[in-house]
Amino acid sequence: MIKKFIDKLLGKTGSAAGGKARFGKRQEVPASVHGIDPALVDERARNVVTTLQDAGYEAYVVGGAVRDLLLGLRPKDFDVATNATPEQVKSLFRRAFIIGRRFRIVHVVYGRGREHEVIEVSTFRAYMDSTGAEQVAGNERTSKGELAGMKHAVDASGRVLRDNVWGPQEEDAARRDFTVNAMYYDPASQTVVDYHNGIKDAKKLTLRMIGDPVTRYREDPVRIIRAIRFSAKLAALGFSLEAKTAAPLVECSKLLADVPQSRLFDEMLKLLQTGHAVATVAQLRKLGLATGIYPLLDVVVERADQPFVTAALQDTDRRVGEGKPVAPSFLLACVLWADVRDGWAQRIEGRHGQRPQAPFPALEDAIDDVFNARIGDVSGRGKLAADMREIWMMQPRFDKRSGATPYSLVEQARFRAGFDFMRLRADIGEVSEAIAEWWQEFSTSDDLRRQDLLDQVRDEQHKRTRQRAPTRVPAAAAGPAERDAEQALPPDGEVAAAAPRKRRRRRKPRGGEAGGGVAAE
């Protein structure tokens, strides 16, 4: 009794007091029991493990990869855990990079360009009770100076801001989130090391948090989002969250308010781009978390039943399932298109007392409003925002199928994304199916066939122009309706197709101006 009291005063509620119960019992499960097929292990992950073991360190494949291997699935990503420090890991590989502040890990890179593969290597971490950690009053930004020299630190709510204290494997297992993610596989001996009955839970199709769920969510509120992501990913296999793990999710979701917006934005993208976006929306609704995690995610869930957004979510899941790349800019552009489209129409028509605008300036202003209202500065207004803008700005250009426009459009770097966006619009009836098919053929044809396609459009436009042409009436006798009809311009560049353009005269530069103007332009 006295020892327990002293331990409590000294903050030894973790590794010293009751450590064995907390850290679980080590079980070494042979291949004859777990049944993992070694052929499913990525050769690069095997190489990382072997290199570390040959250098005298412990090393294992760890986490979700082991879970998937147990289920007979080929893991998409492989992580490795070792007792080597980040500096020791880095010294063993030609292309290895230490990243992160909160959790320092090493990325070992194989290959280059789009075909490169990253094996993430983490060092076994000690299980540190928050009562023994250094505490700061602010967050990652406001306490940046204080955190610089700390290895284990928490904020006032108990959220871990630094966790870089190395420890034994049994403690590393205890600080992982779910039992099915806390197993270690040695490809050399084909042994699985299990401390928390992860194999048993995998067979029961149960997602169970290690330790007290409320405490674990408080340590890192992003575990709430991870619980949603894993339950959505594994729902098709029959997995479900254990009742004690799921019960505090809604109440603990308030803790996400203290997490940096940039991190929440990244976690939102993981929810939507891992091939289970539709299932994620279903899980958010089922668990009572349809709102409150992140404002932009709230919009996704709210609009998930709209035909255009549904098609985008399904298309994203399909592409991931086929091993094709997906871009967050495309999916977010689909989700926010209704806002852009409505704001665009409002400016063109001059609603609410506004002056009517030309189509392209109106579209640009509508996009700016959507960025300000929905995206903010989270993405840094960098590549993601630029790609979204380009996708949206392409849409009116698909209406123009004459002159040099089609040639220049298909040469743009983001043409395929813009076309796929327009293709989805056609699928729900927002754009003519014939236009989508025309662009599909034009983008994949040779120059001869492209000219035929342009000629067909021009002939169709001539035909429509003749059908709409009014009977000419002498100007003096013509009424207002006749004059308006005669002055009306046909759409989609038909004026240019019906009559040759007048050549514009170029003004001769004045003395002293011949040089800088053209170069500046």
Side-chain angles (χ1 to χ4, degrees), residues 86-143:
E87 290 76 15
Q88 289 169 333
V89 173
K90 186 177 186 300
S91 68
L92 295 174
F93 299 93
R94 187 170 60 86
R95 297 181 64 209
F97 308 91
I98 298 175
I99 67 166
R101 293 189 184 92
R102 185 167 175 268
F103 298 112
R104 293 178 71 231
I105 58 177
V106 179
H107 278 179
V108 179
V109 182
Y110 290 86
R112 297 185 181 276
R114 290 188 175 182
E115 302 303 319
H116 81 284
E117 180 72 23
V118 174
I119 305 298
E120 190 171 284
V121 183
S122 61
T123 303
F124 294 153
R125 283 174 169 77
Y127 190 99
M128 302 289 289
D129 196 293
S130 60
T131 56
E134 297 180 88
Q135 187 168 333
V136 296
N139 55 30
E140 288 91 332
R141 281 187 182 176
T142 58
S143 304

Side-chain angles (χ1 to χ4, degrees), residues 298-340:
D298 294 349
V299 178
V300 175
V301 178
E302 177 190 339
R303 298 179 179 179
D305 295 330
Q306 295 178 5
F308 188 55
V309 178
T310 299
L313 293 171
Q314 292 173 342
D315 187 65
T316 299
D317 286 349
R318 176 187 61 79
R319 290 183 64 87
V320 173
E322 294 174 356
K324 296 179 180 178
V326 293
S329 54
F330 183 86
L331 181 56
L332 294 181
C334 291
V335 171
L336 298 178
W337 172 241
D339 294 343
V340 172

Side-chain angles (χ1 to χ4, degrees), residues 192-427:
V192 170
V193 179
D194 183 6
Y195 289 92
H196 299 281
N197 296 313
I199 292 179
K200 182 179 178 181
D201 284 344
K203 290 180 178 179
K204 290 167 54 181
L205 305 179
T206 299
L207 283 170
R208 178 169 60 87
M209 183 70 70
I210 297 172
D212 174 54
V214 174
T215 302
R216 304 308 304 280
Y217 293 142
R218 187 178 296 115
E219 289 173 350
D220 185 4
V222 169
R223 287 191 176 120
I224 296 167
I225 302 177
R226 286 170 61 82
I228 296 164
R229 178 152 56 90
F230 288 133
S231 62
K233 176 180 180 178
L234 300 173
L237 298 175
F239 274 79
S240 60
L241 286 169
E242 179 215 24
K244 290 181 180 179
T245 300
L249 283 172
V250 174
E251 181 63 27
C252 289
S253 65
K254 299 172 185 175
L255 298 169
L256 290 167
D258 295 325
V259 177
Q261 292 291 293
S262 58
R263 190 176 178 210
L264 287 179
F265 185 81
D266 291 341
E267 290 295 331
M268 178 196 71
L269 296 184
K270 289 179 185 178
L271 283 177
L272 300 175
Q273 292 195 115
T274 53
H276 310 280
V278 174
T280 293
V281 171
Q283 282 295 317
L284 286 166
R285 290 171 173 171
K286 177 182 176 181
L287 297 170
L289 294 166
T291 60
I293 289 182
Y294 186 71
L296 192 51
L297 183 61
D298 294 349
V299 178
V300 175
V301 178
E302 177 190 339
R303 298 179 179 179
D305 295 330
Q306 295 178 5
F308 188 55
V309 178
T310 299
L313 293 171
Q314 292 173 342
D315 187 65
T316 299
D317 286 349
R318 176 187 61 79
R319 290 183 64 87
V320 173
E322 294 174 356
K324 296 179 180 178
V326 293
S329 54
F330 183 86
L331 181 56
L332 294 181
C334 291
V335 171
L336 298 178
W337 172 241
D339 294 343
V340 172
R341 183 190 59 211
D342 293 347
W344 185 23
Q346 178 179 314
R347 283 167 174 76
I348 290 175
E349 296 170 9
R351 300 179 198 163
H352 308 302
Q354 294 181 340
R355 293 181 60 185
Q357 291 181 259
F360 275 95
L363 180 55
E364 287 179 329
D365 288 349
I367 290 171
D368 287 340
D369 283 353
V370 170
F371 279 148
N372 292 333
R374 300 294 195 186
I375 300 293
D377 293 327
V378 171
S379 70
R381 290 294 176 88
K383 187 177 186 306
L384 181 137
D387 288 348
M388 291 173 67
R389 180 183 293 275
E390 196 165 356
I391 289 170
W392 286 329
M393 291 300 296
M394 275 189 200
Q395 299 313 300
R397 297 187 66 187
F398 286 113
D399 293 333
K400 185 173 175 59
R401 294 177 293 154
S402 61
T405 297
Y407 289 100
S408 62
L409 193 56
V410 296
E411 294 300 321
Q412 290 196 17
R414 298 291 297 166
F415 168 77
R416 180 50 55 179
F419 170 77
D420 288 344
F421 188 92
M422 187 267 289
R423 174 78 258 182
L424 283 182
R425 292 174 63 207
D427 289 345

Side-chain angles (χ1 to χ4, degrees), residues 155-194:
D155 65 10
S157 70
R159 181 167 64 95
V160 179
L161 303 182
R162 288 290 184 275
D163 185 7
N164 292 303
V165 181
W166 318 133
Q169 186 186 45
E170 62 178 11
E171 295 189 23
D172 184 74
R175 57 165 294 282
R176 293 181 180 272
D177 45 21
F178 298 99
T179 59
V180 295
N181 291 343
M183 294 177 285
Y184 303 78
Y185 176 67
D186 180 358
S189 65
Q190 296 186 35
T191 300
V192 170
V193 179
D194 183 6

